Amino acid sequence: MNTNLRVGVVGAGLMGADHITRIENKISGAHVSAIIEPDAGRAETAAQHAPAAKTFARLEDAIEADAVDAVLVAVPGKFHEPVLVPALEAGLPVMCEKPLTPDSESSRRILDLEQELDRPHIQVGFMRRFDPEYKALRELIESRESGELLMLRGVHRNPSVPDSYDRKMLITDSVVHEFDVIPWLAGSPVVSVEVRQPRSNSLGREDLREPILVIMELANGVLVDVEMNVSIQFGYQVGTEAVFEKGLARIGQASGIQQWREGRYFLNEHADFTTRFAEAYDVQVQKWVDAVNDGRLVDGPNAWDGYVVAVSCEAGVKALDAAGVVPVETGERPSFYA
Ligand code: ISE
């Protein structure tokens, strides 16, 4: 078993830099051997946290130099396919930040290429599956202790978003997580999606016209609503309430130190996803490294799951600006991804 996996991190932006320090400081059995980043200044800054890492402008160059055993992809989704292709062609295991690719057609191409290998090589970074609270909720749903699950009510609130964030990204960059985690929680796929438009936040960007209310129906009849909000200002909040036949369950509530001060009682809320999901990211990357080191290669959502989410997002984007319910049709999971 390999105990010092050489990981090449592609992209040294917010998530890439976060993963570089994670692998260097928290993960056992791996180190960052290469940083693949065309922006030399950014690569330089990231390399300060990974002393053994060489820097490259392209993944192909790192592969050519035999500098990596595995690849962690953390560039924006539209650049995933050009990185996944050489990685798969070189037979390298990959941890790919969400989304797999931005649309179902390119995701399909990745599935076709991956199926030329002996087994799945790509794990997709849907980190919520590794969050302890999501895991506990899934176990509760599976146990039926509170009876059957009837509904899931979700909130996904960001304080703000960067200028590069456009309206479609409400679905492809944000609700993309719910499209993965909801079927995983409920044990049933999404069959349709509808988007309703409440009054817009006049303090947010006009072109985003948000918040939005996303309604999903699952094959088992469970209905799901998600408030997607990217200008809530006060902090970052991702919460879910599950409604069962005999009770309720809630995850994602503010926790930690309780304070009473100046006539107020309060808990601190997260400022962004890097702290809210810090533990989930750590567990996700450790499990991936362990799986690569012992030859399983994937321990979490795979490329098929990524493809299903790409199909769901396409339906979600369609529903954004069209009235009514849009079906989600993915076809059968190939036995390769069983
Ligand atoms: C961001 O890209 C993420 O992946 C976060 O988890 C999500 O909450 C946020 O809305 C996205 O912009």
Side-chain angles (χ1 to χ4, degrees):
M1 175 162 142
N2 189 355
T3 54
N4 207 354
L5 186 73
R6 297 176 308 151
V7 179
V9 177
V10 185
L14 175 67
M15 272 326 289
D18 196 49
H19 283 311
I20 289 168
T21 49
R22 169 172 298 106
I23 294 171
E24 289 294 292
N25 302 320
K26 294 192 175 163
I27 301 298
S28 61
H31 70 279
V32 179
S33 61
I35 295 171
I36 297 104
E37 166 63 65
D39 180 326
R42 225 185 222 186
E44 202 52 43
T45 310
Q48 288 166 10
H49 302 279
K54 296 196 176 107
T55 55
F56 298 90
R58 297 168 350 132
L59 177 60
E60 288 87 334
D61 301 333
I63 294 173
E64 176 87 18
D66 187 22
V68 297
D69 301 320
V71 180
L72 193 157
V73 182
V75 283
K78 61 181 172 194
F79 303 120
H80 285 185
E81 190 180 12
V83 175
L84 291 172
V85 169
L88 288 177
E89 282 173 352
L92 293 173
V94 181
M95 165 91 232
C96 180
E97 266 301 331
K98 62 85 198 169
L100 176 63
T101 66
D103 58 83
S104 64
E105 211 178 298
S106 50
S107 287
R108 236 313 147 207
R109 287 196 291 270
I110 295 299
L111 294 186
D112 290 344
L113 190 60
E114 190 178 37
Q115 285 176 81
E116 289 174 19
L117 298 169
D118 59 345
R119 64 210 136 123
H121 278 52
I122 301 174
Q123 179 164 332
V124 183
F126 290 119
M127 77 296 183
R128 290 193 191 178
R129 295 194 191 195
F130 301 94
D131 175 71
E133 288 190 72
Y134 270 103
K135 204 164 154 271
L137 180 56
R138 184 175 194 242
E139 283 163 12
L140 179 67
I141 293 170
E142 274 181 341
S143 76
R144 294 187 165 71
E145 257 172 58
S146 295
E148 291 294 334
L149 176 69
L150 307 176
M151 287 191 282
L152 288 168
R153 334 268 330 257
V155 296
H156 186 167
R157 298 175 174 137
N158 294 230
S160 60
V161 278
D163 291 345
S164 55
Y165 192 100
D166 63 26
R167 179 160 160 82
K168 269 197 338 201
M169 288 166 81
L170 289 165
I171 302 292
T172 60
D173 197 54
S174 298
V175 179
V176 64
H177 286 290
E178 277 79 13
F179 277 129
D180 176 68
V181 84
I182 298 281
W184 177 81
L185 274 179
S188 184
V190 177
V191 291
S192 71
V193 54
E194 180 182 1
V195 177
R196 298 295 308 272
Q197 194 73 52
R199 188 176 196 189
S200 292
N201 184 347
S202 66
L203 307 175
R205 261 175 42 211
E206 212 174 307
D207 57 316
L208 295 180
R209 282 188 287 126
E210 52 82 41
I212 56 172
L213 187 69
V214 181
I215 301 159
M216 303 175 194
E217 183 171 1
L218 308 188
N220 63 2
V222 166
L223 273 190
V224 183
D225 65 74
V226 181
E227 172 202 323
M228 186 66 239
N229 195 323
V230 296
S231 52
I232 196 78
Q233 302 191 19
F234 75 85
Y236 182 83
Q237 195 177 66
V238 170
T240 305
E241 183 172 283
V243 180
F244 296 94
E245 290 172 311
K246 298 189 284 185
L248 300 175
R250 235 180 234 163
I251 60 168
Q253 304 299 300
S255 61
I257 184 167
Q258 304 168 36
Q259 298 187 58
W260 288 260
R261 199 195 302 158
E262 293 166 5
R264 290 190 312 136
Y265 160 70
F266 61 96
L267 291 164
N268 288 336
E269 190 47 279
H270 287 283
D272 68 26
F273 47 90
T274 56
T275 60
R276 165 66 180 84
F277 289 110
E279 186 175 350
Y281 287 121
D282 291 350
V283 176
Q284 164 188 257
V285 175
Q286 185 64 65
K287 279 183 177 280
W288 173 65
V289 165
D290 292 346
V292 174
N293 279 339
D294 70 20
R296 286 172 295 135
L297 305 189
V298 172
D299 186 359
N302 61 28
W304 173 259
D305 299 309
Y307 164 74
V308 169
V309 171
V311 173
S312 309
C313 282
E314 268 168 12
V317 168
K318 212 166 170 191
L320 247 189
D321 291 311
V325 172
V326 179
V328 175
E329 283 150 13
T330 60
E332 284 294 297
R333 179 186 290 258
S335 58
F336 184 83
Y337 294 106

